[in-house]
Amino acid sequence: MTHAHKLLATWMLAAGVIPAAVAADWPELPLPDDTEGEWVSRHMIHNGIPMRAARFHSKETPDQLIRFYEQKWPGQVVVTDLGNKKIIAHATSKHSITIELSGGSNGSQGQIGIIELLKQAPKTAPGADFIKPAGTQVITDTVYMDNPGRTLSMTAPMSPFQADAYYRARLPADGWRSEDTRTCAMMAVSCVSSYANGKQQMTITFNRKGDTTDVVVNQISR
């Protein structure tokens, strides 16, 4: 067994595929030799949809990897150019697999997403349970089940100073305690706030974007 496959057997792969024993009902994902990778998350809920994610490095070029998957899944692969990246898409009756490839003659990097195809749309909108200013748009809501945590990305119709003040006024009612010695400045373009709630840790990042502010919330369990 090569060093690459030892790493993959530990993190992600055995005999060139995601192990069925680990994947349970998830589809196996073949990878070529001389490829090493790791799980990002084996169990996550992204915008209400069950998903798992991984990444890998390969000595193969993107075009070689595309040919590899076209041979593994004949007639069941769609390849799309996205700038300097290539996107490989493959679907089964229960799952959708997307592989984002970048790189060149010296090798490739891959980002893998496997999504469960639900029979009906999620009943709850992303970020519905998280407090937010009126008019805020939730972009993504990702809950990590295997390594408990959550990431929310939103766009709020206000400045970083106003958004920071909003959360400082409301989060204590939910048990969150500020860990900052200074607040966001009135003219700040960006700032970061930190909170704790028992074993829960949360950081909120605010970045001005024109008349709105990009807000990214990261929660983890200590």
Side-chain angles (χ1 to χ4, degrees), residues 191-206:
C191 54
V192 180
S193 297
S194 299
Y195 296 88
N197 185 352
K199 294 183 178 181
Q200 301 293 314
Q201 192 78 27
M202 178 167 63
T203 60
I204 308 179
T205 303
F206 307 93

PDB file of all heavy atoms in Angstrom, residues 191-206:
ATOM      1  N   CYS A 191     -15.197  44.012  11.266  1.00  0.00           N
ATOM      2  CA  CYS A 191     -14.898  43.738  12.669  1.00  0.00           C
ATOM      3  C   CYS A 191     -15.362  42.328  13.011  1.00  0.00           C
ATOM      4  O   CYS A 191     -16.114  41.700  12.260  1.00  0.00           O
ATOM      5  CB  CYS A 191     -15.537  44.776  13.595  1.00  0.00           C
ATOM      6  SG  CYS A 191     -17.310  44.993  13.384  1.00  0.00           S
ATOM      7  N   VAL A 192     -14.883  41.830  14.151  1.00  0.00           N
ATOM      8  CA  VAL A 192     -15.197  40.472  14.596  1.00  0.00           C
ATOM      9  C   VAL A 192     -15.621  40.522  16.054  1.00  0.00           C
ATOM     10  O   VAL A 192     -14.976  41.189  16.873  1.00  0.00           O
ATOM     11  CB  VAL A 192     -13.984  39.527  14.443  1.00  0.00           C
ATOM     12  CG1 VAL A 192     -14.340  38.122  14.925  1.00  0.00           C
ATOM     13  CG2 VAL A 192     -13.510  39.486  12.997  1.00  0.00           C
ATOM     14  N   SER A 193     -16.704  39.827  16.393  1.00  0.00           N
ATOM     15  CA  SER A 193     -17.175  39.737  17.768  1.00  0.00           C
ATOM     16  C   SER A 193     -17.143  38.286  18.220  1.00  0.00           C
ATOM     17  O   SER A 193     -17.396  37.372  17.427  1.00  0.00           O
ATOM     18  CB  SER A 193     -18.597  40.275  17.893  1.00  0.00           C
ATOM     19  OG  SER A 193     -18.642  41.648  17.554  1.00  0.00           O
ATOM     20  N   SER A 194     -16.830  38.074  19.502  1.00  0.00           N
ATOM     21  CA  SER A 194     -16.744  36.720  20.055  1.00  0.00           C
ATOM     22  C   SER A 194     -17.706  36.575  21.227  1.00  0.00           C
ATOM     23  O   SER A 194     -17.837  37.486  22.054  1.00  0.00           O
ATOM     24  CB  SER A 194     -15.312  36.421  20.523  1.00  0.00           C
ATOM     25  OG  SER A 194     -14.406  36.500  19.443  1.00  0.00           O
ATOM     26  N   TYR A 195     -18.350  35.390  21.305  1.00  0.00           N
ATOM     27  CA  TYR A 195     -19.316  35.109  22.367  1.00  0.00           C
ATOM     28  C   TYR A 195     -19.109  33.693  22.893  1.00  0.00           C
ATOM     29  O   TYR A 195     -18.582  32.819  22.187  1.00  0.00           O
ATOM     30  CB  TYR A 195     -20.749  35.240  21.850  1.00  0.00           C
ATOM     31  CG  TYR A 195     -21.133  36.632  21.401  1.00  0.00           C
ATOM     32  CD1 TYR A 195     -20.891  37.052  20.095  1.00  0.00           C
ATOM     33  CD2 TYR A 195     -21.734  37.532  22.280  1.00  0.00           C
ATOM     34  CE1 TYR A 195     -21.239  38.328  19.678  1.00  0.00           C
ATOM     35  CE2 TYR A 195     -22.082  38.807  21.867  1.00  0.00           C
ATOM     36  CZ  TYR A 195     -21.838  39.197  20.576  1.00  0.00           C
ATOM     37  OH  TYR A 195     -22.184  40.462  20.159  1.00  0.00           O
ATOM     38  N   ALA A 196     -19.551  33.476  24.135  1.00  0.00           N
ATOM     39  CA  ALA A 196     -19.507  32.151  24.740  1.00  0.00           C
ATOM     40  C   ALA A 196     -20.841  31.876  25.423  1.00  0.00           C
ATOM     41  O   ALA A 196     -21.486  32.782  25.950  1.00  0.00           O
ATOM     42  CB  ALA A 196     -18.367  32.049  25.750  1.00  0.00           C
ATOM     43  N   ASN A 197     -21.221  30.601  25.394  1.00  0.00           N
ATOM     44  CA  ASN A 197     -22.460  30.175  26.043  1.00  0.00           C
ATOM     45  C   ASN A 197     -22.235  28.746  26.535  1.00  0.00           C
ATOM     46  O   ASN A 197     -22.429  27.789  25.789  1.00  0.00           O
ATOM     47  CB  ASN A 197     -23.634  30.238  25.072  1.00  0.00           C
ATOM     48  CG  ASN A 197     -24.960  29.928  25.743  1.00  0.00           C
ATOM     49  OD1 ASN A 197     -25.012  29.521  26.898  1.00  0.00           O
ATOM     50  ND2 ASN A 197     -26.042  30.109  25.016  1.00  0.00           N
ATOM     51  N   GLY A 198     -21.776  28.598  27.774  1.00  0.00           N
ATOM     52  CA  GLY A 198     -21.400  27.287  28.277  1.00  0.00           C
ATOM     53  C   GLY A 198     -20.232  26.744  27.484  1.00  0.00           C
ATOM     54  O   GLY A 198     -19.185  27.384  27.381  1.00  0.00           O
ATOM     55  N   LYS A 199     -20.406  25.578  26.857  1.00  0.00           N
ATOM     56  CA  LYS A 199     -19.348  24.976  26.053  1.00  0.00           C
ATOM     57  C   LYS A 199     -19.395  25.434  24.601  1.00  0.00           C
ATOM     58  O   LYS A 199     -18.589  24.988  23.782  1.00  0.00           O
ATOM     59  CB  LYS A 199     -19.453  23.451  26.119  1.00  0.00           C
ATOM     60  CG  LYS A 199     -19.178  22.869  27.500  1.00  0.00           C
ATOM     61  CD  LYS A 199     -19.230  21.355  27.475  1.00  0.00           C
ATOM     62  CE  LYS A 199     -18.905  20.769  28.853  1.00  0.00           C
ATOM     63  NZ  LYS A 199     -18.940  19.284  28.835  1.00  0.00           N
ATOM     64  N   GLN A 200     -20.315  26.328  24.294  1.00  0.00           N
ATOM     65  CA  GLN A 200     -20.454  26.824  22.936  1.00  0.00           C
ATOM     66  C   GLN A 200     -19.634  28.103  22.743  1.00  0.00           C
ATOM     67  O   GLN A 200     -19.649  28.988  23.590  1.00  0.00           O
ATOM     68  CB  GLN A 200     -21.926  27.118  22.617  1.00  0.00           C
ATOM     69  CG  GLN A 200     -22.842  25.917  22.750  1.00  0.00           C
ATOM     70  CD  GLN A 200     -22.554  24.853  21.725  1.00  0.00           C
ATOM     71  OE1 GLN A 200     -22.388  25.169  20.537  1.00  0.00           O
ATOM     72  NE2 GLN A 200     -22.500  23.612  22.141  1.00  0.00           N
ATOM     73  N   GLN A 201     -18.939  28.175  21.622  1.00  0.00           N
ATOM     74  CA  GLN A 201     -18.163  29.356  21.262  1.00  0.00           C
ATOM     75  C   GLN A 201     -18.682  29.870  19.932  1.00  0.00           C
ATOM     76  O   GLN A 201     -18.991  29.088  19.020  1.00  0.00           O
ATOM     77  CB  GLN A 201     -16.682  28.991  21.131  1.00  0.00           C
ATOM     78  CG  GLN A 201     -15.745  30.193  21.034  1.00  0.00           C
ATOM     79  CD  GLN A 201     -15.495  30.845  22.375  1.00  0.00           C
ATOM     80  OE1 GLN A 201     -15.583  30.182  23.401  1.00  0.00           O
ATOM     81  NE2 GLN A 201     -15.177  32.123  22.368  1.00  0.00           N
ATOM     82  N   MET A 202     -18.794  31.177  19.805  1.00  0.00           N
ATOM     83  CA  MET A 202     -19.301  31.750  18.564  1.00  0.00           C
ATOM     84  C   MET A 202     -18.528  33.010  18.202  1.00  0.00           C
ATOM     85  O   MET A 202     -18.267  33.853  19.047  1.00  0.00           O
ATOM     86  CB  MET A 202     -20.790  32.074  18.695  1.00  0.00           C
ATOM     87  CG  MET A 202     -21.401  32.720  17.456  1.00  0.00           C
ATOM     88  SD  MET A 202     -23.222  32.751  17.486  1.00  0.00           S
ATOM     89  CE  MET A 202     -23.523  33.806  18.917  1.00  0.00           C
ATOM     90  N   THR A 203     -18.158  33.118  16.931  1.00  0.00           N
ATOM     91  CA  THR A 203     -17.568  34.346  16.399  1.00  0.00           C
ATOM     92  C   THR A 203     -18.476  34.845  15.270  1.00  0.00           C
ATOM     93  O   THR A 203     -19.019  34.048  14.496  1.00  0.00           O
ATOM     94  CB  THR A 203     -16.150  34.136  15.853  1.00  0.00           C
ATOM     95  OG1 THR A 203     -16.172  33.162  14.798  1.00  0.00           O
ATOM     96  CG2 THR A 203     -15.208  33.667  16.959  1.00  0.00           C
ATOM     97  N   ILE A 204     -18.645  36.150  15.208  1.00  0.00           N
ATOM     98  CA  ILE A 204     -19.427  36.770  14.138  1.00  0.00           C
ATOM     99  C   ILE A 204     -18.532  37.789  13.449  1.00  0.00           C
ATOM    100  O   ILE A 204     -18.006  38.702  14.079  1.00  0.00           O
ATOM    101  CB  ILE A 204     -20.691  37.453  14.679  1.00  0.00           C
ATOM    102  CG1 ILE A 204     -21.503  36.490  15.559  1.00  0.00           C
ATOM    103  CG2 ILE A 204     -21.554  37.945  13.514  1.00  0.00           C
ATOM    104  CD1 ILE A 204     -22.764  37.116  16.140  1.00  0.00           C
ATOM    105  N   THR A 205     -18.370  37.617  12.148  1.00  0.00           N
ATOM    106  CA  THR A 205     -17.531  38.507  11.353  1.00  0.00           C
ATOM    107  C   THR A 205     -18.421  39.404  10.498  1.00  0.00           C
ATOM    108  O   THR A 205     -19.354  38.931   9.848  1.00  0.00           O
ATOM    109  CB  THR A 205     -16.590  37.699  10.447  1.00  0.00           C
ATOM    110  OG1 THR A 205     -15.793  36.826  11.249  1.00  0.00           O
ATOM    111  CG2 THR A 205     -15.670  38.620   9.662  1.00  0.00           C
ATOM    112  N   PHE A 206     -18.123  40.705  10.512  1.00  0.00           N
ATOM    113  CA  PHE A 206     -18.903  41.686   9.754  1.00  0.00           C
ATOM    114  C   PHE A 206     -17.987  42.355   8.732  1.00  0.00           C
ATOM    115  O   PHE A 206     -16.935  42.888   9.089  1.00  0.00           O
ATOM    116  CB  PHE A 206     -19.477  42.755  10.683  1.00  0.00           C
ATOM    117  CG  PHE A 206     -20.257  42.202  11.857  1.00  0.00           C
ATOM    118  CD1 PHE A 206     -19.620  41.985  13.075  1.00  0.00           C
ATOM    119  CD2 PHE A 206     -21.599  41.897  11.744  1.00  0.00           C
ATOM    120  CE1 PHE A 206     -20.325  41.489  14.168  1.00  0.00           C
ATOM    121  CE2 PHE A 206     -22.317  41.393  12.825  1.00  0.00           C
ATOM    122  CZ  PHE A 206     -21.679  41.188  14.039  1.00  0.00           C
TER     123      PHE A 206
END
